[in-house]
Amino acid sequence: EMRYEIIITARDESKLKKLKEELERNNKGKVHIILADLSNADECKKLYREVKEKFDKIDLLINNAGFGVFGEFINT
């Protein structure tokens, strides 16, 4: 059984709280919420700094922003 410590981010805190509950139920690991509007460059930088400060390292990144270009990551 894998137990991941997960960081989720978006603009809508109520949706993040609901997702956090679901992930904690299914994953058995801790879920952290960081509010950020990823369409804003300054907020992306703030998110980066906060994650870097609070966490040792990131093992896996899943980007599911659903905005902008689409396709295979290497091509976009």
Side-chain angles (χ1 to χ4, degrees), residues 7 34 46-55 58:
I7 303 164
I34 300 176
K46 179 182 159 242
L47 172 65
Y48 170 79
R49 287 189 303 269
E50 188 170 343
V51 168
K52 188 174 178 184
E53 178 182 301
K54 291 182 178 180
F55 302 94
I58 301 293

Side-chain angles (χ1 to χ4, degrees), residues 51-65:
V51 168
K52 188 174 178 184
E53 178 182 301
K54 291 182 178 180
F55 302 94
D56 186 38
K57 66 178 183 163
I58 301 293
D59 293 317
L60 176 67
L61 170 67
I62 299 172
N63 179 359
N64 190 26

Side-chain angles (χ1 to χ4, degrees), residues 1 8 13 19 22-23 29 33 37-38 42-43 46 53 60 74:
E1 178 178 303
I8 56 176
E13 186 174 20
L19 177 59
E22 180 182 339
L23 289 170
I33 292 176
D37 179 352
L38 299 181
D42 288 334
E43 290 204 22
K46 179 182 159 242
E53 178 182 301
L60 176 67
I74 195 162

Side-chain angles (χ1 to χ4, degrees), residues 14-42:
S14 63
K15 288 181 182 177
L16 285 175
K17 286 180 177 180
K18 189 174 181 179
L19 177 59
K20 175 182 175 162
E21 290 174 9
E22 180 182 339
L23 289 170
E24 286 181 336
R25 234 185 353 263
N26 295 326
N27 177 57
K28 310 284 190 265
K30 182 141 179 68
V31 178
H32 307 272
I33 292 176
I34 300 176
L35 290 177
D37 179 352
L38 299 181
S39 67
N40 178 304
D42 288 334

